[in-house]
Amino acid sequence: MTLLNIPADFIVSSREDKIEYSFGLTVLKDDDRVKFCICDKSTSWLNPDDLFVDRIQFGYLNPIFRKKHLSREIDVKNSLDEAAASLNDKRYAKAVEVLDEIIHYDPDYAEAILAKSKALFGQGHFVKSLRHYKKAIKINESLKDNVFYGLLIKKASEEMDTFPKIKRNIYMGDEAFRKGEYESALQFYDKALVNPAKFKNKILSKLLNKKATALFKLKRYEDSLEFFNKSVEAKPNDKAYFHIGIIEYFLSMELSDEFKGPLRISKNQLIKKAGILNDVGEYQIALDCLDEYFENQFFVNDKYVLGLNLKLGILKALDKSTEEIENQIRTVRRFSDEFQ
C-alpha cells in the first residue's frame, strides 16, 4: 500500500490532478508524474516507479507522528536528489557528506549506500566503494548494476595490489571482522599496530578503535577498555567514549562523564545508552537520549517499541505524567495488529 493508493477513508478531497489526505499529505499529479507535499515541503516531480514511492509504504508511516515522519522522509529524499546532482557534477566529497547524513538517519537506505559507493568510486577509493556496493545490493537486490560491479571488482583488485603492508593488514582485519572472525581480525590489527608512531593521531585512533572493538566482541572487556582509552588519548572520539561507557557498565564501574554527555552515535546505540543510564538511575539523561532517538526514528520496529516502554518506565521513575506515552503505546499496538 504505497502513497499512491492510500485507503479512501483518509481522503479529504479528490480531483484528477490533486488528492488531499486527513494527515496533511497532498499528492499532485501531472501527466505521468507525481509530487508529494506536506508541511510546506515537497518532493520534486517523480515517476510513479521512483524508488521513493515504493519505500514509503503507507503502513510504514509512524501512526503517532505520520505527518512528521513523512515530512522527514521528504527531506531525506530531497537530500538524496542533492547528492545525485553532486555526483553528476563530480563533486564527490559533497555527495559523500550529504549521503553520510542520510545513512546516519537510516543505515539501511540502500539507494543512499549505492550512491555513496559511486561517490567513493569517483574519489578513487575502490575497495571502500566495493564494500558499500555489496551492502546496498544485500539490502535491495533490485539495485544491481552488473556493468558497474564488473568495473568495481577490477579497480578494487588493482587498488589492493598497491596497498602497503600496513594498509593490507588493516583491510584483512576489516574483512575478518565483517565475517565475525574476531580473533583473526585482532591478529591483523596487531600486525598493523607494530609501530604506532607511524600513524597520524586521527588514523591511529581509528585503528585502536578497530582493535578495541574486536576485543569487545570477544568479551575481553578489560583489554578492550584499555585500547578504547588509548584511542581517546590519540584523538577524542565518540565511538570510543560510547564503548568505554558500555564496558564500565558491564564491569560495574562508575560511568564516565563523556558517556553521560551528548555523543554522535547510531539510533540503536542511543537506545542501548538510554537503557544503561536508566539502570544506574540517571533518569533525566536517559530521557534526553530517548528524546533524541524519537526525533530521528519513525519506523516502528522492535527497537522503537522498546524505546516507548523504556520511556514509560523512566517517566514513572521521575513521577511525571505517563498519559501521552501510554496512548502512543496503545496506538502502536493497534497499528501493528492492522498492518501485520
Side-chain angles (χ1 to χ4, degrees):
M1 189 186 302
T2 73
L3 296 182
L4 294 179
N5 54 6
I6 296 170
D9 293 349
F10 291 92
I11 295 176
V12 173
S13 68
S14 177
R15 61 184 196 225
E16 188 175 348
D17 63 345
K18 182 178 180 180
I19 305 176
E20 294 179 316
Y21 294 95
S22 58
F23 56 93
L25 174 68
T26 298
V27 180
L28 303 177
K29 298 183 179 182
D30 176 29
D31 295 329
D32 293 328
R33 302 180 304 166
V34 293
K35 180 187 283 190
F36 302 98
C37 312
I38 198 166
C39 299
D40 298 322
K41 299 176 182 178
S42 71
T43 64
S44 57
W45 286 102
L46 307 173
N47 293 323
D49 61 354
D50 189 284
L51 290 173
F52 176 79
V53 177
D54 186 57
R55 169 181 168 82
I56 309 301
Q57 300 288 317
F58 182 70
Y60 165 90
L61 292 175
N62 189 304
I64 306 167
F65 303 110
R66 194 172 277 135
K67 181 185 291 188
K68 192 174 181 180
H69 185 180
L70 187 51
S71 174
R72 184 61 181 275
E73 289 288 345
I74 287 175
D75 279 340
V76 171
K77 168 59 177 171
N78 290 337
S79 292
L80 188 62
D81 290 344
E82 178 190 350
S86 295
L87 269 174
N88 288 335
D89 294 340
K90 299 184 178 180
R91 293 183 289 121
Y92 301 120
K94 177 61 178 176
V96 169
E97 179 185 341
V98 173
L99 292 165
D100 279 343
E101 288 301 314
I102 296 173
I103 295 167
H104 182 72
Y105 167 71
D106 182 355
D108 292 326
Y109 204 143
E111 263 190 286
I113 297 167
L114 179 60
K116 184 175 179 181
S117 170
K118 293 182 177 180
L120 291 167
F121 185 95
Q123 292 179 312
H125 302 312
F126 304 116
V127 171
K128 289 182 180 178
S129 175
L130 180 59
R131 287 174 178 166
H132 281 76
Y133 177 85
K134 287 180 176 179
K135 182 176 180 181
I137 300 311
K138 185 176 182 180
I139 296 168
N140 185 351
E141 194 173 342
S142 72
L143 295 176
K144 272 185 178 179
D145 183 338
N146 292 330
V147 174
F148 177 61
Y149 180 60
L151 180 59
L152 192 48
I153 288 289
K154 179 177 180 293
K155 290 289 188 180
S157 178
E158 290 172 355
E159 184 186 14
M160 282 188 283
D161 288 341
T162 68
F163 279 177
K165 189 174 181 180
I166 289 176
K167 192 170 183 179
R168 182 173 287 276
N169 279 324
I170 296 172
Y171 169 78
M172 295 299 292
D174 290 347
E175 289 299 298
F177 187 94
R178 256 182 281 279
K179 295 174 184 176
E181 299 168 359
Y182 304 120
E183 287 285 4
S184 179
L186 196 56
Q187 291 172 14
F188 284 114
Y189 294 146
D190 280 338
K191 289 178 183 178
L193 281 164
V194 167
N195 189 354
K198 287 185 177 181
F199 297 101
K200 293 181 179 179
N201 284 348
K202 182 178 180 180
I203 302 300
L204 177 59
S205 174
K206 288 183 177 180
L207 183 50
L208 289 167
N209 274 342
K210 289 175 184 289
K211 177 174 180 176
T213 306
L215 289 164
F216 183 87
K217 290 289 188 179
L218 292 167
K219 299 185 179 181
R220 292 169 55 181
Y221 297 127
E222 291 87 352
D223 294 334
S224 179
L225 182 60
E226 176 188 349
F227 283 95
F228 277 124
N229 279 321
K230 286 183 177 180
S231 170
V232 168
E233 289 171 11
K235 188 179 187 302
N237 65 93
D238 287 350
K239 177 175 182 176
Y241 285 137
F242 171 75
H243 282 90
I244 287 169
I246 298 294
I247 296 168
E248 287 170 339
Y249 173 74
F250 285 169
L251 300 179
S252 300
M253 300 168 64
E254 184 177 350
L255 298 181
S256 62
D257 290 338
E258 289 80 6
F259 178 77
K260 295 177 186 178
L263 297 173
R264 170 80 169 179
I265 53 179
S266 72
K267 290 181 284 189
N268 285 346
Q269 289 173 331
L270 274 172
I271 287 285
K272 183 175 285 190
K273 178 180 174 181
I276 287 174
L277 290 167
N278 174 60
D279 284 350
V280 300
E282 294 280 3
Y283 300 122
Q284 187 56 56
I285 306 176
L287 192 59
D288 292 342
C289 285
L290 290 173
D291 287 342
E292 182 181 350
Y293 172 83
F294 287 119
E295 276 296 311
N296 293 282
Q297 173 66 24
F298 297 100
F299 180 62
V300 177
N301 54 20
D302 290 343
K303 283 287 194 303
Y304 191 92
V305 174
L306 174 64
L308 287 176
N309 286 306
L310 184 56
K311 186 172 182 177
L312 174 61
I314 291 170
L315 289 172
K316 287 180 178 178
L318 291 171
D319 199 24
K320 293 186 176 183
S321 172
T322 60
E323 182 179 356
E324 181 180 1
I325 193 71
E326 287 174 340
N327 285 337
Q328 290 177 359
I329 290 171
R330 282 193 290 269
T331 299
V332 165
R333 284 175 180 163
R334 287 197 302 270
F335 166 83
S336 299
D337 291 341
E338 183 177 353
F339 288 99
Q340 269 183 350

